[in-house]
Amino acid sequence: MPGEPPPTSRLRLTLAYQGTPFDGWQSQPTGNAVQDHVEKAFAAIAGCRVVVHGASRTDAGVHALAQVAHAEPPASATPNDWALALNAHLPDGIRVTAVSRASPAFHARYSASGKTYEYRIWNARYLHPLERGRAWHIPSAIDDATLAAATRRLAGRHDFALLSANRRTVVRSTIRTVHSIDLRRSGPLLRLRFRGDGFLYKMIRILVGASLRCARGQAGLDWIDQLLAGATRRCTFCAPAEGLYLVEVHYARGKTPAA
Amino acid sequence: MPGEPPPTSRLRLTLAYQGTPFDGWQSQPTGNAVQDHVEKAFAAIAGCRVVVHGASRTDAGVHALAQVAHAEPPASATPNDWALALNAHLPDGIRVTAVSRASPAFHARYSASGKTYEYRIWNARYLHPLERGRAWHIPSAIDDATLAAATRRLAGRHDFALLSANRRTVVRSTIRTVHSIDLRRSGPLLRLRFRGDGFLYKMIRILVGASLRCARGQAGLDWIDQLLAGATRRCTFCAPAEGLYLVEVHYARGKTPAA
């Protein structure tokens, strides 16, 4: 039809990956970041460099159930063909679970309105062999009630400067809103689910580290208040990466126009 | 007290292990069977050979959440000390999750009254990276109703000669009772839970293979009846080991006297 814009070649990708075998999301000199592998797969198929932008720069060891990314390859194939071809080129530890056309205005990172992460803790004397690389092993007693109290204090809109690893000069603001932190225990397995509008560098792992310090009796809940008030030193207790999962990237309807 | 029998040195062990890194439960020339690793750990601690008897001879690749075994080491340590010491010597992929004293009459295998296994299937186009080595990937459509119908026919007391890999001459009888086969789907994840008084060699994987053949429209349910009636050839469809989990070994109260 005359006047109709040409079909965009921007694609929205959903990806699942295991954190352990890779050097995090963001491209590394090793070539072993998830972004590197996805870009290599695109290049092998398209014959040219295709930059892939991820919604979350997950650290090495962090798993993703549904990372979102966008890329703008030559408009030569259908989204379904891209999914098939990319998975044929990707290592087993990374899978593209969905591909759809996206508007040129869609940006995986900047269009996102929030994210959900889960942190898994295996709280038993011995780490279950099937949980290796998939949970933080804490053999000592955890007081679930104190843990819940700590997470209740952390939820909400706060300055998380002392609960992240960012330098103040790098990010514009260290104020974030954590909409909710849900705690669930099923036997030795403790799961903390974080939903927020955005998280600073290592923030979730430090929130987990700080909460667990309280729940193991190593600090009082007042310390959480002091951290949020900027009235103490930065928290250096960072939970290990292998317990962290990127569960979902949220997009407000208006911000993700369909192609 | 006079006349009281001396404390027995027989121990009952509960073990969890990942199937993938090992050559099954039963001792192998490679020395990489789970039994080999547990016996090596006992030998390193006790300074003498200690034979470990497992309840289930899980195949290479099959996982265990709660394998049960017994052993009779020198009565030099408490069960708790044995658990600590064994785990210090075992590879990460194997953990002793519980140790208790057992009566000399307790035999992990012969005292067992039944077992529960679970078989996991990932039924989606792409295998989730976190399910690698932990589920059977079936990308094609599965008819859950037909799958349930097939498992209903297989449950009960039957001659499973054509649904196992045993040679008739090796086992006394190929008649077994499958108490229940429960089917649960949660999105792409299908779980089949088998409870029975005992299972023949590769029987569960062949029951899964036969049921899935029906559920994928490759065979009719009549074929299941023919297999159970001994009226056709042996079923050669064996589901892969990595989807199978030994969940529990059951012991009748009277058969497991406490020490």
Side-chain angles (χ1 to χ4, degrees), chain B residues 131-210:
Chain B
E131 293 292 337
R132 283 184 302 157
R134 297 173 177 227
W136 182 15
H137 180 214
I138 300 185
S140 59
I142 292 175
D143 178 11
D144 288 6
T146 305
L147 185 59
T151 57
R152 271 196 302 274
R153 284 177 193 227
L154 290 167
R157 185 169 170 82
H158 302 288
D159 185 342
F160 289 98
L162 301 187
L163 285 150
S164 72
N166 289 88
R167 277 174 295 169
R168 259 182 208 279
T169 49
V170 174
V171 288
R172 248 176 293 174
S173 162
T174 48
I175 294 175
R176 292 289 183 279
T177 301
V178 177
H179 300 307
S180 58
I181 307 175
D182 293 321
L183 185 65
R184 280 189 196 183
R185 183 188 278 272
S186 143
L189 182 64
L190 251 173
R191 294 186 295 174
L192 290 100
R193 194 167 268 237
F194 294 81
R195 197 179 156 170
D197 60 358
F199 296 94
L200 299 162
Y201 185 47
K202 292 195 177 168
M203 177 172 147
I204 296 181
R205 291 160 59 191
I206 293 172
L207 295 185
V208 172

Coordinates of all heavy atoms in Angstrom, one line a residue, chain B residues 131-210:
Chain B
E131 N 17.4 -27.2 32.0 CA 16.9 -28.5 32.0 C 17.9 -29.5 31.3 O 17.5 -30.7 31.2 CB 15.5 -28.6 31.4 CG 14.5 -27.8 32.1 CD 14.1 -28.5 33.5 OE1 14.4 -29.7 33.6 OE2 13.6 -27.8 34.4
R132 N 19.0 -29.0 30.8 CA 19.9 -29.9 30.2 C 20.4 -31.0 31.1 O 20.8 -30.7 32.2 CB 21.2 -29.1 29.7 CG 20.9 -28.4 28.4 CD 22.2 -27.7 28.0 NE 22.8 -26.8 29.0 CZ 24.0 -26.5 29.1 NH1 24.9 -27.0 28.3 NH2 24.4 -25.7 30.1
G133 N 20.3 -32.3 30.7 CA 20.8 -33.4 31.5 C 19.8 -33.7 32.6 O 20.1 -34.5 33.5
R134 N 18.6 -33.0 32.7 CA 17.7 -33.2 33.7 C 16.3 -33.6 33.3 O 15.3 -33.7 34.1 CB 17.6 -31.9 34.6 CG 18.9 -31.6 35.2 CD 19.0 -30.3 35.9 NE 20.2 -30.1 36.5 CZ 20.4 -29.7 37.8 NH1 19.4 -29.3 38.5 NH2 21.6 -29.6 38.3
A135 N 16.1 -33.6 32.0 CA 14.7 -34.0 31.5 C 14.9 -34.5 30.0 O 15.9 -34.3 29.4 CB 13.9 -32.7 31.5
W136 N 13.9 -35.2 29.6 CA 13.9 -35.7 28.2 C 13.2 -34.6 27.4 O 12.1 -34.2 27.7 CB 13.1 -37.0 28.1 CG 13.0 -37.6 26.7 CD1 13.8 -37.3 25.6 CD2 12.1 -38.6 26.3 NE1 13.5 -38.1 24.6 CE2 12.4 -38.9 24.9 CE3 11.1 -39.3 26.9 CZ2 11.7 -39.9 24.2 CZ3 10.4 -40.3 26.2 CH2 10.7 -40.5 24.8
H137 N 13.9 -34.1 26.3 CA 13.3 -33.0 25.5 C 12.5 -33.6 24.4 O 13.0 -34.3 23.5 CB 14.5 -32.1 24.9 CG 14.0 -31.0 24.1 ND1 14.6 -30.6 23.0 CD2 12.8 -30.3 24.2 CE1 13.9 -29.6 22.4 NE2 12.9 -29.4 23.1
I138 N 11.2 -33.3 24.4 CA 10.3 -33.7 23.3 C 9.7 -32.5 22.7 O 8.8 -31.9 23.3 CB 9.2 -34.7 23.8 CG1 9.9 -35.9 24.4 CG2 8.3 -35.1 22.7 CD1 8.9 -37.0 24.9
P139 N 10.2 -32.1 21.5 CA 9.7 -30.8 21.0 C 8.3 -31.0 20.3 O 7.5 -30.0 20.2 CB 10.7 -30.4 19.9 CG 11.5 -31.6 19.7 CD 11.3 -32.6 20.8
S140 N 7.9 -32.2 19.9 CA 6.7 -32.4 19.2 C 5.5 -32.5 20.2 O 5.7 -32.7 21.4 CB 6.8 -33.7 18.4 OG 7.0 -34.8 19.2
A141 N 4.3 -32.4 19.7 CA 3.1 -32.4 20.5 C 2.9 -33.7 21.3 O 3.1 -34.8 20.7 CB 1.9 -32.1 19.6
I142 N 2.5 -33.6 22.5 CA 2.1 -34.7 23.3 C 0.7 -34.6 23.7 O 0.2 -33.6 24.2 CB 3.0 -34.8 24.6 CG1 4.5 -35.0 24.3 CG2 2.5 -35.8 25.6 CD1 5.4 -35.0 25.5
D143 N -0.1 -35.7 23.4 CA -1.5 -35.7 23.8 C -1.6 -36.2 25.3 O -1.5 -37.4 25.5 CB -2.3 -36.6 22.9 CG -3.8 -36.6 23.2 OD1 -4.2 -35.9 24.1 OD2 -4.5 -37.5 22.7
D144 N -1.8 -35.2 26.2 CA -1.8 -35.6 27.6 C -2.8 -36.6 28.0 O -2.6 -37.5 28.8 CB -2.0 -34.4 28.5 CG -0.7 -33.5 28.5 OD1 0.2 -33.8 27.7 OD2 -0.7 -32.5 29.3
A145 N -4.0 -36.5 27.3 CA -5.1 -37.4 27.6 C -4.7 -38.9 27.2 O -5.0 -39.8 28.0 CB -6.4 -37.0 26.9
T146 N -4.1 -39.0 26.1 CA -3.7 -40.3 25.6 C -2.5 -40.8 26.5 O -2.5 -42.0 26.8 CB -3.2 -40.3 24.2 OG1 -4.2 -39.7 23.4 CG2 -2.8 -41.7 23.6
L147 N -1.6 -39.9 26.9 CA -0.6 -40.3 27.8 C -1.1 -40.9 29.1 O -0.7 -41.9 29.6 CB 0.3 -39.1 28.1 CG 1.6 -39.3 28.9 CD1 2.5 -40.4 28.3 CD2 2.4 -38.0 29.1
A148 N -2.2 -40.2 29.7 CA -2.8 -40.6 30.9 C -3.5 -42.0 30.7 O -3.4 -42.8 31.6 CB -3.8 -39.6 31.4
A149 N -4.1 -42.1 29.5 CA -4.8 -43.4 29.2 C -3.7 -44.5 29.2 O -4.0 -45.7 29.7 CB -5.6 -43.3 27.9
A150 N -2.6 -44.3 28.6 CA -1.6 -45.3 28.5 C -1.0 -45.7 29.8 O -0.9 -46.9 30.2 CB -0.4 -44.8 27.6
T151 N -0.8 -44.7 30.7 CA -0.3 -45.0 32.0 C -1.3 -45.7 32.9 O -0.9 -46.5 33.7 CB 0.2 -43.7 32.7 OG1 -0.8 -42.8 32.8 CG2 1.4 -43.0 32.0
R152 N -2.6 -45.4 32.7 CA -3.6 -46.1 33.4 C -3.6 -47.6 33.1 O -3.8 -48.4 33.9 CB -5.0 -45.5 33.1 CG -5.4 -44.4 34.0 CD -6.9 -44.1 34.0 NE -7.3 -43.8 32.6 CZ -7.3 -42.5 32.1 NH1 -6.8 -41.5 32.8 NH2 -7.7 -42.3 30.8
R153 N -3.3 -47.9 31.8 CA -3.3 -49.3 31.4 C -2.1 -50.0 32.0 O -2.1 -51.2 32.3 CB -3.2 -49.5 29.9 CG -4.6 -49.2 29.3 CD -4.6 -49.2 27.8 NE -5.9 -48.7 27.3 CZ -6.6 -49.2 26.4 NH1 -6.3 -50.3 25.8 NH2 -7.8 -48.6 26.0
L154 N -1.0 -49.3 32.1 CA 0.3 -49.9 32.6 C 0.3 -50.1 34.1 O 1.0 -51.0 34.6 CB 1.5 -49.0 32.2 CG 1.8 -49.0 30.7 CD1 2.7 -47.8 30.4 CD2 2.4 -50.3 30.3
A155 N -0.5 -49.2 34.9 CA -0.5 -49.4 36.3 C -1.2 -50.7 36.7 O -2.0 -51.2 35.9 CB -1.2 -48.2 36.9
G156 N -0.8 -51.3 37.8 CA -1.4 -52.5 38.3 C -0.4 -53.7 38.3 O 0.8 -53.4 38.1
R157 N -0.9 -54.9 38.5 CA 0.0 -56.0 38.6 C 0.0 -56.7 37.2 O -1.0 -57.2 36.7 CB -0.6 -57.0 39.6 CG 0.3 -58.2 39.9 CD -0.1 -59.0 41.1 NE 0.6 -60.2 41.3 CZ 1.8 -60.4 41.8 NH1 2.4 -59.3 42.2 NH2 2.4 -61.6 41.8
H158 N 1.2 -56.7 36.6 CA 1.3 -57.3 35.2 C 2.6 -58.0 35.1 O 3.5 -57.8 35.9 CB 1.3 -56.1 34.2 CG 0.1 -55.3 34.2 ND1 -1.1 -55.7 33.8 CD2 -0.1 -54.0 34.6 CE1 -2.0 -54.7 33.9 NE2 -1.4 -53.6 34.4
D159 N 2.7 -58.8 34.0 CA 4.0 -59.3 33.6 C 4.6 -58.3 32.7 O 4.1 -58.1 31.6 CB 3.7 -60.7 32.9 CG 5.1 -61.3 32.5 OD1 6.1 -60.6 32.5 OD2 5.1 -62.5 32.2
F160 N 5.7 -57.7 33.1 CA 6.3 -56.6 32.4 C 7.5 -57.1 31.6 O 8.4 -56.3 31.2 CB 6.8 -55.5 33.4 CG 5.7 -54.7 33.9 CD1 5.2 -55.0 35.2 CD2 5.1 -53.7 33.2 CE1 4.1 -54.2 35.7 CE2 4.0 -52.9 33.7 CZ 3.5 -53.2 35.0
A161 N 7.5 -58.4 31.2 CA 8.6 -59.0 30.5 C 8.9 -58.2 29.2 O 10.1 -58.0 28.9 CB 8.3 -60.5 30.1
L162 N 7.9 -57.8 28.5 CA 8.1 -57.1 27.2 C 8.3 -55.6 27.4 O 8.5 -54.9 26.4 CB 6.9 -57.4 26.2 CG 6.6 -58.8 25.9 CD1 5.6 -58.9 24.8 CD2 7.9 -59.5 25.4
L163 N 8.2 -55.2 28.7 CA 8.4 -53.7 29.0 C 9.6 -53.5 29.9 O 9.6 -52.7 30.8 CB 7.2 -53.2 29.6 CG 6.0 -52.9 28.6 CD1 4.7 -53.1 29.3 CD2 6.1 -51.6 27.9
S164 N 10.6 -54.4 29.7 CA 11.9 -54.2 30.5 C 13.0 -54.8 29.6 O 12.8 -55.3 28.5 CB 11.8 -55.0 31.8 OG 11.9 -56.4 31.5
A165 N 14.2 -54.6 30.1 CA 15.4 -55.1 29.3 C 16.0 -56.3 30.0 O 17.1 -56.7 29.6 CB 16.4 -53.9 29.2
N166 N 15.3 -56.9 30.9 CA 15.8 -58.1 31.6 C 15.7 -59.3 30.6 O 14.8 -59.4 29.8 CB 14.9 -58.5 32.8 CG 15.1 -57.5 33.9 OD1 14.4 -56.5 34.0 ND2 16.1 -57.8 34.8
R167 N 16.7 -60.2 30.8 CA 16.4 -61.5 30.1 C 15.7 -62.4 31.1 O 16.0 -62.3 32.3 CB 17.8 -62.1 29.8 CG 18.3 -61.6 28.4 CD 19.6 -62.1 28.1 NE 20.6 -61.6 29.1 CZ 21.8 -62.0 29.2 NH1 22.3 -63.0 28.5 NH2 22.7 -61.5 30.1
R168 N 14.7 -63.1 30.7 CA 13.9 -63.9 31.5 C 14.7 -64.8 32.4 O 14.3 -65.1 33.6 CB 13.0 -64.8 30.7 CG 11.6 -64.3 30.6 CD 10.7 -65.2 29.7 NE 9.6 -64.5 29.1 CZ 8.5 -64.2 29.7 NH1 8.3 -64.5 30.9 NH2 7.6 -63.5 29.0
T169 N 15.9 -65.3 31.9 CA 16.7 -66.3 32.7 C 17.3 -65.6 33.9 O 17.7 -66.3 34.8 CB 17.8 -66.8 31.8 OG1 18.4 -65.8 31.1 CG2 17.2 -67.8 30.7
V170 N 17.5 -64.3 33.9 CA 18.2 -63.6 34.9 C 17.3 -63.3 36.2 O 17.8 -63.5 37.3 CB 18.8 -62.3 34.4 CG1 19.4 -61.5 35.5 CG2 19.8 -62.5 33.3
V171 N 16.1 -62.9 35.9 CA 15.2 -62.6 37.1 C 14.2 -63.8 37.3 O 13.8 -64.4 36.3 CB 14.5 -61.3 36.9 CG1 15.4 -60.1 37.1 CG2 13.7 -61.3 35.6
R172 N 13.9 -64.0 38.5 CA 13.0 -65.1 38.8 C 11.6 -64.9 38.2 O 11.0 -65.8 37.6 CB 12.8 -65.2 40.4 CG 13.4 -66.5 40.9 CD 13.3 -66.5 42.4 NE 14.2 -65.5 43.0 CZ 14.2 -65.2 44.3 NH1 13.4 -65.9 45.1 NH2 15.0 -64.3 44.8
S173 N 11.1 -63.7 38.3 CA 9.8 -63.4 37.8 C 9.8 -62.0 37.2 O 10.5 -61.1 37.7 CB 8.8 -63.5 38.9 OG 7.6 -62.8 38.5
T174 N 9.0 -61.8 36.1 CA 8.9 -60.5 35.5 C 7.6 -59.8 35.9 O 7.1 -58.9 35.2 CB 9.1 -60.5 34.0 OG1 8.3 -61.6 33.5 CG2 10.6 -60.8 33.6
I175 N 6.9 -60.4 36.9 CA 5.6 -59.8 37.3 C 5.9 -58.8 38.4 O 6.7 -59.1 39.4 CB 4.7 -61.0 37.9 CG1 4.3 -61.9 36.7 CG2 3.5 -60.3 38.5 CD1 3.5 -63.1 37.1
R176 N 5.4 -57.6 38.2 CA 5.6 -56.5 39.2 C 4.2 -55.8 39.4 O 3.4 -55.9 38.5 CB 6.6 -55.5 38.7 CG 8.0 -56.0 38.6 CD 8.7 -56.2 40.0 NE 10.0 -56.7 39.9 CZ 10.5 -57.9 39.7 NH1 9.6 -58.9 39.5 NH2 11.8 -58.2 39.7
T177 N 4.1 -55.1 40.5 CA 2.9 -54.3 40.7 C 3.3 -52.8 40.7 O 4.2 -52.4 41.5 CB 2.3 -54.6 42.1 OG1 1.9 -56.0 42.1 CG2 1.0 -53.8 42.3
V178 N 2.8 -52.1 39.8 CA 2.9 -50.7 39.7 C 1.7 -50.1 40.4 O 0.6 -50.1 39.9 CB 3.1 -50.1 38.3 CG1 3.2 -48.6 38.3 CG2 4.3 -50.8 37.6
H179 N 1.9 -49.6 41.7 CA 0.8 -49.1 42.4 C 0.1 -47.9 41.8 O -1.1 -47.8 41.8 CB 1.3 -48.7 43.9 CG 1.9 -49.8 44.6 ND1 1.2 -51.0 44.8 CD2 3.1 -49.9 45.2 CE1 2.0 -51.8 45.5 NE2 3.2 -51.2 45.7
S180 N 0.9 -47.0 41.3 CA 0.3 -45.8 40.7 C 1.3 -45.1 39.7 O 2.5 -45.2 39.9 CB -0.1 -44.8 41.8 OG 1.1 -44.4 42.5
I181 N 0.8 -44.5 38.7 CA 1.5 -43.6 37.8 C 0.8 -42.3 37.7 O -0.3 -42.2 37.2 CB 1.7 -44.2 36.4 CG1 2.2 -45.7 36.4 CG2 2.6 -43.4 35.5 CD1 2.2 -46.4 35.1
D182 N 1.4 -41.3 38.3 CA 0.7 -40.0 38.4 C 1.4 -39.0 37.4 O 2.6 -39.0 37.3 CB 0.8 -39.3 39.8 CG 0.0 -40.1 40.8 OD1 -1.1 -40.6 40.4 OD2 0.5 -40.3 41.9
L183 N 0.5 -38.3 36.7 CA 0.9 -37.5 35.6 C 0.6 -36.0 36.0 O -0.5 -35.7 36.4 CB 0.1 -37.9 34.3 CG 0.4 -37.2 33.0 CD1 1.8 -37.6 32.6 CD2 -0.6 -37.7 32.0
R184 N 1.6 -35.1 35.9 CA 1.4 -33.7 36.2 C 2.1 -32.9 35.1 O 3.2 -33.1 34.8 CB 2.0 -33.3 37.5 CG 1.1 -33.7 38.6 CD 1.6 -33.1 39.9 NE 0.9 -33.8 41.0 CZ 1.1 -33.5 42.3 NH1 1.9 -32.5 42.6 NH2 0.5 -34.2 43.2
R185 N 1.3 -31.9 34.6 CA 2.0 -31.0 33.7 C 1.9 -29.6 34.3 O 0.9 -29.1 34.8 CB 1.2 -30.9 32.3 CG 1.9 -30.0 31.3 CD 1.1 -29.8 30.0 NE 1.3 -30.9 29.1 CZ 2.3 -30.9 28.2 NH1 3.2 -30.0 28.1 NH2 2.3 -31.9 27.3
S186 N 3.1 -28.9 34.1 CA 3.1 -27.5 34.6 C 3.8 -26.8 33.4 O 5.0 -26.8 33.3 CB 3.9 -27.4 35.9 OG 4.6 -26.3 36.0
G187 N 3.0 -26.2 32.5 CA 3.6 -25.6 31.3 C 4.3 -26.7 30.4 O 3.7 -27.7 30.2
P188 N 5.5 -26.4 30.1 CA 6.2 -27.4 29.2 C 6.7 -28.6 30.0 O 7.2 -29.6 29.4 CB 7.4 -26.6 28.7 CG 7.6 -25.5 29.6 CD 6.3 -25.2 30.3
L189 N 6.7 -28.5 31.3 CA 7.3 -29.6 32.1 C 6.2 -30.7 32.5 O 5.2 -30.4 33.1 CB 7.8 -29.0 33.4 CG 8.5 -30.0 34.4 CD1 9.7 -30.7 33.7 CD2 8.9 -29.4 35.7
L190 N 6.5 -31.9 32.0 CA 5.6 -33.0 32.3 C 6.3 -33.9 33.3 O 7.5 -34.3 33.1 CB 5.4 -33.8 31.0 CG 4.1 -33.8 30.3 CD1 4.2 -34.5 29.0 CD2 3.0 -34.4 31.1
R191 N 5.6 -34.3 34.3 CA 6.3 -35.2 35.3 C 5.4 -36.5 35.5 O 4.2 -36.4 35.8 CB 6.5 -34.5 36.6 CG 7.5 -33.3 36.5 CD 7.8 -32.7 37.8 NE 6.6 -32.0 38.4 CZ 6.6 -31.5 39.6 NH1 7.6 -31.6 40.4 NH2 5.5 -30.9 40.0
L192 N 6.1 -37.6 35.4 CA 5.4 -38.9 35.6 C 6.0 -39.5 36.8 O 7.2 -39.8 36.9 CB 5.6 -39.8 34.4 CG 4.9 -39.5 33.1 CD1 5.8 -38.8 32.1 CD2 4.3 -40.7 32.5
R193 N 5.1 -39.8 37.8 CA 5.6 -40.3 39.1 C 5.1 -41.8 39.2 O 3.9 -42.1 39.1 CB 5.1 -39.5 40.2 CG 5.8 -39.8 41.5 CD 5.5 -38.7 42.6 NE 6.5 -37.7 42.5 CZ 7.2 -37.3 43.6 NH1 7.1 -37.9 44.7 NH2 8.1 -36.3 43.5
F194 N 6.1 -42.7 39.3 CA 5.8 -44.1 39.4 C 6.0 -44.6 40.8 O 7.1 -44.4 41.4 CB 6.8 -44.9 38.5 CG 6.6 -44.6 37.0 CD1 7.2 -43.4 36.4 CD2 5.9 -45.5 36.2 CE1 7.0 -43.2 35.1 CE2 5.8 -45.2 34.8 CZ 6.3 -44.1 34.3
R195 N 5.1 -45.3 41.3 CA 5.3 -46.0 42.6 C 4.9 -47.4 42.4 O 3.9 -47.8 41.8 CB 4.3 -45.4 43.6 CG 4.8 -45.8 45.0 CD 4.1 -45.2 46.2 NE 4.3 -46.2 47.2 CZ 4.0 -46.0 48.5 NH1 3.4 -44.9 48.9 NH2 4.3 -46.9 49.4
G196 N 5.9 -48.3 42.8 CA 5.7 -49.7 42.6 C 6.4 -50.6 43.7 O 7.3 -50.0 44.4
D197 N 6.2 -51.9 43.7 CA 6.8 -52.7 44.6 C 8.3 -53.0 44.2 O 9.1 -53.5 44.9 CB 6.0 -54.0 44.9 CG 5.8 -54.8 43.7 OD1 6.2 -54.4 42.6 OD2 5.2 -55.9 43.8
G198 N 8.5 -52.8 42.9 CA 9.9 -53.0 42.4 C 9.8 -52.9 40.9 O 8.7 -53.0 40.3
F199 N 10.9 -52.6 40.3 CA 10.9 -52.3 38.8 C 12.0 -53.1 38.2 O 13.1 -53.2 38.8 CB 11.1 -50.8 38.5 CG 10.0 -50.0 39.1 CD1 10.1 -49.4 40.3 CD2 8.8 -49.8 38.3 CE1 9.0 -48.6 40.8 CE2 7.8 -49.0 38.8 CZ 7.9 -48.4 40.1
L200 N 11.8 -53.7 37.0 CA 12.8 -54.5 36.3 C 13.8 -53.5 35.7 O 13.6 -52.3 35.6 CB 12.1 -55.4 35.2 CG 11.1 -56.4 35.8 CD1 10.1 -56.9 34.7 CD2 11.8 -57.5 36.5
Y201 N 14.8 -54.1 35.1 CA 15.9 -53.4 34.5 C 15.3 -52.5 33.3 O 14.7 -53.0 32.4 CB 17.0 -54.4 33.9 CG 18.2 -53.7 33.4 CD1 18.8 -52.7 34.0 CD2 18.7 -54.1 32.1 CE1 19.9 -52.0 33.5 CE2 19.8 -53.5 31.6 CZ 20.4 -52.4 32.3 OH 21.5 -51.8 31.7
K202 N 15.6 -51.2 33.4 CA 15.1 -50.2 32.5 C 13.6 -50.1 32.3 O 13.1 -49.5 31.4 CB 15.8 -50.4 31.1 CG 17.3 -50.2 31.1 CD 17.9 -50.0 29.7 CE 19.4 -49.7 29.9 NZ 20.1 -49.8 28.6
M203 N 12.9 -50.7 33.2 CA 11.4 -50.8 33.1 C 10.7 -49.4 33.0 O 9.9 -49.2 32.2 CB 10.8 -51.7 34.2 CG 9.3 -51.8 34.2 SD 8.8 -53.0 35.5 CE 7.2 -52.3 36.0
I204 N 11.1 -48.5 34.0 CA 10.4 -47.2 34.0 C 10.7 -46.5 32.7 O 9.8 -45.9 32.1 CB 10.8 -46.4 35.2 CG1 10.4 -47.1 36.5 CG2 10.2 -45.0 35.1 CD1 10.7 -46.4 37.7
R205 N 11.9 -46.5 32.2 CA 12.2 -45.8 31.0 C 11.5 -46.4 29.8 O 11.2 -45.7 28.9 CB 13.8 -45.8 30.8 CG 14.5 -44.9 31.8 CD 15.9 -45.2 32.0 NE 16.6 -45.0 30.7 CZ 17.9 -45.4 30.4 NH1 18.6 -46.0 31.4 NH2 18.4 -45.3 29.3
I206 N 11.3 -47.7 29.8 CA 10.6 -48.3 28.7 C 9.1 -48.0 28.9 O 8.4 -47.8 27.9 CB 10.9 -49.8 28.7 CG1 12.4 -50.0 28.3 CG2 10.0 -50.6 27.7 CD1 12.9 -51.4 28.3
L207 N 8.5 -48.0 30.1 CA 7.1 -47.6 30.3 C 6.9 -46.2 29.8 O 5.9 -45.9 29.1 CB 6.7 -47.7 31.8 CG 6.7 -49.0 32.5 CD1 6.2 -48.9 33.9 CD2 5.9 -50.1 31.7
V208 N 7.9 -45.3 30.1 CA 7.8 -43.9 29.6 C 7.9 -43.9 28.0 O 7.1 -43.3 27.4 CB 8.9 -43.0 30.2 CG1 8.9 -41.6 29.5 CG2 8.7 -42.9 31.7
G209 N 8.8 -44.7 27.5 CA 9.0 -44.7 26.0 C 7.7 -45.2 25.3 O 7.3 -44.7 24.3
A210 N 7.1 -46.3 25.9 CA 5.9 -46.9 25.3 C 4.7 -45.9 25.4 O 4.0 -45.7 24.4 CB 5.6 -48.2 26.0

